[in-house]
Amino acid sequence: MTLARPALSLRALVPLGATLAAFAVGLALIETTGASPAAALGAFLDGAFGTGYAISASLNRAAVYALVGFGFILPARAGLTNVGGEGQIAVGGIAATAVALYGGVSGLPLGLAFVLPALAAMVAGALWAGLAAVLKTRAGTNEVISTLLLSFIAVWMVYWSVQSEALLRQPMTSGATLPESLSIPDATQIPLLTGDYSAPVTVGAPFVLVLGIGVYLLLARSAFGFRLALLGQNPTAAARAGIAVERATIAVFLIAGALGGLAGAYMLQGDQYALKAGFSSGYGFDGLVVGLLARGRVAGVIAGALLFGFLRSGGITMEMVTGVPTALVQIVQGLIVVFLAGSALWLNRTETR
Amino acid sequence: MTWDLFAVFLGSTIRLAAPLLFAAIGELISERAGVLNMSVEGMMLTGAFAAAVGAAMTGSPLLGVLAGLIAVLPVALLQAVLTNALKANQIVTGIGINILILGATTLGYRELFGNRSETQIPGFGLWTPPGLGQIPALGTQTFPQVWLVYLLIPLAFGVWFVLARTGLGVALRAAGDAPLAVAHSGVRVGALRYCAIVATGLFASLGGAFMSVGDIHTFTEGMTNGAGYLAISAVIFGNWRLGRTVLACLIFGAAKALQFQLPAMGIHAPSALLIMMPYLLALIAVAGLVGRQRAPAALARPFP
C-alpha cells in the first residue's frame, strides 16, 4: 500500500480540534446548568490526573479500551467489522471468573495463577468472535449483525451466571446476598505495577502497549498483515491470488476475539475482582468507538483509549464533587465521535490525494 | 393458564411490543434503503424525552407527541448528513449519536425536573375500540390500550403499501439493493436515503413517546434501555420483510410479558433466557437456520 498520507500534523490536528470543540460545548453546557465551569473543570482534571489513584484508574480503563480497539482494527484491515467487543469482554469475564474461582489455579507458582484465567478469557473471546467468522464464511452472515447480536447474548449470559447459584453466583447466606460472584483470590488478581492499592495500575497496562507493538508489526510487517490488506482492498482479487479467504477471516476474528476476551480478564482481574451483572457496561462500545476513530492505526487506538479513559474517570469525579452530571461527559464523548466521523471524508480525501 | 390470565398476557404483549413495532417499522424503511440506522435507539430516547417535556409543559400529551416528532428531526438530519453527505461510517455515527442523546436527555431531564425525580406527567388514558369492550376477558384485559397502539395498524399498512405498491417504494428498495442502478436511472440515492432516515426518526420518536406519555406517564434516564437495538434485531429476524418484522416484534413483546407473568404463575424460568431470547432468535435467523436470509445488498454501505 503506497497511499500518500497527510502530514502527521494534519492527522493529529483534526482529532485534537474535534476534542477541543467538544470540550468547548461541554463547558458552555456547564455554564447553562448554573454550575461554575472552572470548578467543574477543576474537579474533572482532579478526577483524571489529580492523584495516583485517579491516573491509575484512567490508565486501567484506557488499557481495556485499547484492547477492544486493537480487536477492531485487525479485522478492519481485511474489510471486516467486529462490533462484538462488548460480548467478547463479557464471555472473557465469565471465563476468567470461572477459572479464577473454581479452576484450582490460585496455588500455582510463576504467575500462572493470574495468567491461566486470562488465557481462558482469551480462548472464550476467540471462540465467541470465531462463531461470527464461521457464520460469515459458511452462511454468508453479515458480521456486523452477528457480532452485535452475540454481544447482547453475552451480556445477558453474564446476568444469568451471576443470578444462578448453579453457575457463578456466590452462595446465598442471607436474603441480602448480592447477585454477583465471589471475589477472586488475591493470587489470581493481575499484580499491581506499583505494588500499592493507592495507585492500582496493573502490570497489564504496559503489557497492552507491548501488545500494541505486536499488532502494529502484524499489520505492517507480516505476511498475514499483507494478506489481510489485500483481502480488504478486493476480496475477489485476493481469492484469485491464492489467499485462503476463509482461513484468513477466521484467523483474524480469533485474534480479535482473544484481545476482547483479554479485555474482559483485565477488567475482572485488574479492577472489579468479582463478576456482576452489567459487568461490561459500555466498555465494549466505547472501545469500539476508539477502534473506529483510530482509522486503522495502532497509535490512533492508544491515543483514543487514553482520551476516553481519562474522560470517563474525570467525569465520575466531576459529578461527585460539583454535582455536574457525568452525562455531560457522555455528551462530550458523543460529540467527539460525531465530529471525527464527520471529518473522515475530508481526511480520506487528503489521504488518497 | 386461565382465559383471564391469557387475556392479560395478550394485552401486555401488545403493550410491550408497541414501542418495538414503531421503531422496527421505521428501521425497516432505512434498512431497505441501505442505511443500517443504529441511532434508532437515540431517536426513540429523543421522542420519549421531548414528549415527556412537551406534555409536562403544555399539559397535553398530544402536544407532547408532536414535540417528540419535531425534536427527532435534527437527530435524523444529523444521522442523514453524516452518513450521506459526509459518507461517515453508519455504525460509528449511530453509536456516537446514541451516546450523545443519552447524555443530553439525562442532563436535560435533571435540569428540568431535578435529580432522579420521577415526576408524573400528563399521559394518555386507555381506549377500547367501539364494540370490542363487550367481549369477555379480552374486552377488559386486552383491547383497552393507548390509542397509539391502534395507530400502528394504518401506519403498518401504509408502509407496506408504499414499499410494495408504489414507484417510491421500488426506488427506495433499489437504493438498498442496487444504488448504482438507481443513480443511473436518474434518481438521487442520497435524497431517498435522507427521506428514509427522517421517516425512521418519526416512527422511532412515536415509539419513544409511547413509552413515556403513553405507557408509564413519566420519563426515566435512558428509559429506552436497548429497545432500539431490539427493534434492529426484529428487522433482522423479520428478514427485512414487513410482515415478519411485525411478527418478530410481537414475539419479542410476548417474551417480555412472560418475564412478568411466569413468576406470577409460580413458574421459575431463568429470566435471563427470556430476555436473551429475541437476540438468540435473531441470530438463529441470520445464521440461515430458518430459511434463506436476504439482507439488502448495499446495507451499511455509503453511496457512491
Side-chain angles (χ1 to χ4, degrees), chain A residues 33 135 139 141 144-145 149-150 152-153 156-157 159-160 288-289 292 319 325 327-328 330-331 334-335 337-338 341-342 345, chain B residues 82 85-86 88-89 91-92 95-96 99-100 102-104 107 110-111 229 233 236 270 272-273 275-276 279 282-283 286-287:
Chain A
T33 67
L135 285 178
T141 307
V144 175
I145 291 165
L149 292 173
L150 282 167
F152 292 120
I153 294 170
W156 290 105
M157 276 167 51
Y159 177 81
W160 194 355
L288 162 68
V289 168
L292 278 160
E319 170 155 1
L328 195 89
Q330 283 174 326
I331 296 178
L335 283 175
V337 175
V338 167
L345 176 70
Chain B
L82 284 171
L86 297 176
N89 182 308
I91 297 154
V92 73
I95 292 178
I99 300 175
L100 182 64
L102 180 61
L107 190 72
R110 291 200 190 171
E111 280 306 301
Y229 295 111
S233 304
I236 297 165
L273 193 63
I275 306 172
M276 202 193 283
Y279 304 113
L283 185 71
V286 87

Side-chain angles (χ1 to χ4, degrees), chain B residues 15 28 40 42 47 52 68 83 103 113 117 135-136 139 167 177 182 212 262 273 290 292:
Chain B
R15 182 172 55 84
L28 181 73
V40 67
T83 56
F113 295 92
S117 82
I135 302 169
D177 278 324
V182 175
S212 62
L262 285 182
L273 193 63
V290 283
R292 215 168 129 267

Side-chain angles (χ1 to χ4, degrees), chain B residues 166-182:
Chain B
T166 65
L168 177 65
V170 172
L172 206 69
R173 285 183 284 132
D177 278 324
L180 199 60
V182 175

